Amino acid sequence: MRALIGGGTGFVGRHLTKALQENGYKVTKVSRKTGPDTITWKDINKNGIPDDVTAVVNLAGANILNPLKRWNQAYKDEVVSSRVETTKTLANAIVSSKIPPKVFATISGVAIYKPNPTLEYTEDSDVEPYDFLSQLVVDWEQAAKLPESHSCRQVTVRSGVVLGRDGGMIQQLYFPFYLGLGGTIGLRGDQWLPWIHVSDLAGIFMHAINNDNVHGLLNGTAESATNADFTKAFAGALCRPAIFPTPGFVMNIVFGSERAKVVLEGQNVKPRRTLESGYQYKYFDVKSACKNCVS
Ligand code: NDP
């Protein structure tokens, strides 16, 4: 069995690669660069998908919260094309392949749900784009769509903020929190923080790949938590105080208001279909997830 992973070199991709290999899969990554067990996007455009591939996953995407990147039109275009064009490339290659894979699983984001302090969202909630990031998610999910009659099963995981020691938000927060300089984002930290542990995100992809009855949208989130709940759990796991909030205006200056929203506002996203499909979480509560991230 072989799986092909777009963006397999990244934080989530590394965890999914390990999980796939533990389940007996050979893994080929699709990257912008050549490397071991890696083919490039150009190779896919030229030669299509290797015949022995049974599962295709796309996790590619330029990091939205990269503080070193200015939020200008060029970077926004890269943020969009690194997700939408890579997903389209894989979808087109699946449609053209002589022996199609059994499953095409893609990632997207919870930014499709409009931040709201009281609403609870599930995979069945109506969604309508309301800003740049929600429009991006709509286009990203649309890019993954195969013709209805196609034999390849499709799954899209709408991921919350991914927690894990070796990447994503925790990697950025680890040292400030370790030094006792951590705190909530925004003064109160009462905005929702839809989150998932990276083992569970990889686990949901494995569950989607291995189970023929899993299809369609799955929310990749765990138990609801606010930014303050996360801050308390993470600082607690490190046995440190967390008394230095980062005010919203600082986030707006560093990131620009359009993307600072990702952490200054939040959605309460329930993984209803994920649970109904039989997935069992390793880390459903934020305390145990944060404890694992510092162990
Ligand atoms: P990483 O940044 O760790 O990895 C993403 C991969 O995307 C990279 O390894 C890179 O592969 C590829 N990539 C980066 N820029 C470009 C580009 N301009 N064009 C094509 N490919 C590019 O991300 P994560 O593993 O954390 O996230 C994986 C996916 O999950 C992303 O799409 C992200 O948007 C989504 N997601 C992540 C969340 C998180 O909290 N981490 C939350 C919600 C969604 P290479 O260099 O090999 O080409």
Side-chain angles (χ1 to χ4, degrees):
M1 294 181 298
R2 182 177 297 282
L4 190 72
I5 315 183
T9 55
F11 168 44
V12 179
R14 290 193 303 274
H15 283 264
L16 180 58
T17 297
K18 191 161 168 268
L20 281 160
Q21 287 168 340
E22 285 166 3
N23 277 261
Y25 279 85
K26 291 185 179 126
V27 176
T28 301
K29 288 161 241 170
V30 191
S31 169
R32 290 165 295 172
K33 297 155 279 188
T34 52
D37 302 320
T38 303
I39 58 178
T40 65
W41 294 101
K42 280 186 192 148
D43 296 329
I44 295 279
N45 276 322
K46 198 167 149 210
N47 307 321
I49 287 171
D51 282 347
D52 61 342
V53 167
T54 51
V56 175
V57 179
N58 196 23
L59 300 171
N63 181 1
I64 291 173
L65 287 180
N66 181 347
L68 304 175
K69 292 280 191 175
R70 279 195 50 224
W71 194 235
N72 54 22
Q73 195 54 48
Y75 194 58
K76 283 185 184 181
D77 291 346
E78 184 179 343
V79 160
V80 173
S81 72
S82 60
R83 290 169 175 75
V84 175
E85 297 310 319
T86 55
T87 303
K88 262 189 207 160
T89 297
L90 291 174
N92 291 340
I94 290 171
V95 171
S96 319
S97 62
K98 278 189 234 104
I99 310 171
K102 285 187 177 163
V103 53
F104 182 32
T106 54
I107 199 157
S108 76
V110 294
I112 201 161
Y113 305 116
K114 192 170 186 181
N116 187 295
T118 51
L119 268 184
E120 263 185 30
Y121 291 106
T122 73
E123 297 87 345
D124 296 326
S125 300
D126 289 332
V127 289
E128 215 174 83
Y130 58 91
D131 67 355
F132 172 80
L133 290 176
S134 56
Q135 183 63 55
L136 165 62
V137 178
V138 169
D139 296 344
W140 198 2
E141 293 186 355
Q142 186 59 36
K145 293 233 158 78
L146 302 173
E148 283 214 350
S149 56
H150 202 279
S151 64
C152 180
R153 186 165 54 81
Q154 284 210 255
V155 181
T156 296
V157 183
R158 289 178 174 162
S159 178
V161 171
V162 186
L163 305 185
R165 176 71 183 90
D166 55 334
M169 185 171 88
I170 294 279
Q171 201 173 43
Q172 292 184 348
L173 295 182
Y174 193 90
F175 282 103
F177 272 71
Y178 183 78
L179 297 172
L181 299 173
T184 54
I185 308 268
L187 292 180
R188 289 199 307 272
D190 56 358
Q191 70 278 27
W192 294 111
L193 178 74
W195 66 276
I196 185 163
H197 191 283
V198 68
S199 304
D200 281 314
L201 187 54
I204 291 171
F205 273 102
M206 285 309 307
H207 173 70
I209 289 167
N210 285 336
N211 291 291
D212 289 346
N213 60 329
V214 178
H215 61 90
L217 288 172
L218 299 178
N219 281 337
T221 53
E223 191 177 66
S224 304
T226 61
N227 184 278
D229 295 330
F230 161 77
T231 302
K232 194 170 161 210
F234 187 48
L238 283 166
C239 302
R240 297 290 190 275
I243 49 176
F244 296 105
T246 308
F249 78 87
V250 174
M251 297 301 291
N252 285 329
I253 291 170
V254 175
F255 292 107
S257 59
E258 202 165 41
R259 62 176 170 161
K261 267 200 231 175
V262 173
V263 283
L264 287 172
E265 299 174 2
Q267 313 84 343
N268 186 3
V269 182
K270 301 288 185 189
R272 197 172 81 196
R273 285 194 85 241
T274 311
L275 289 167
E276 281 170 4
S277 75
Y279 180 71
Q280 290 184 354
Y281 282 76
K282 276 194 203 157
Y283 304 102
F284 198 64
D285 68 286
V286 74
K287 248 184 166 176
S288 69
C290 286
K291 219 169 157 190
N292 171 271
C293 290
V294 305
S295 63

